[in-house]
Amino acid sequence: MSRLQAVAAITLMLFPAAIGLINACSDQIPPPPESTVAQRRFQTNFCTSQYRSLGDVARCLAGSV
């Protein structure tokens, strides 16, 4: 019984640190500007090669690929 209490006490003491570590590791780093430019260029090339009508190309560029 005392082992169970000791394990429970240690678990409760380490739980906030574990949650803090998970939160610190899950912070998302914003993508570099070069990747945003490359993604936009890919989307433009994809939409212009996929569709012929300017309206369809504009609709494709307004949405995500």
Side-chain angles (χ1 to χ4, degrees):
M1 183 72 168
S2 63
R3 280 188 197 166
L4 180 61
Q5 287 176 338
V7 169
I10 291 172
T11 303
L12 288 175
M13 287 179 359
L14 294 178
F15 188 71
I19 296 297
L21 182 63
I22 291 170
N23 285 339
C25 293
S26 66
D27 289 343
Q28 291 189 356
I29 301 170
E34 299 86 28
S35 67
T36 306
V37 170
Q39 184 177 7
R40 187 68 182 164
R41 184 178 21 209
F42 171 79
Q43 185 179 16
T44 303
N45 290 341
F46 174 80
C47 291
T48 54
S49 66
Q50 191 75 18
Y51 300 105
R52 301 266 184 236
S53 168
L54 288 178
D56 290 339
V57 171
R59 197 172 311 115
C60 177
L61 289 173
S64 63
V65 175

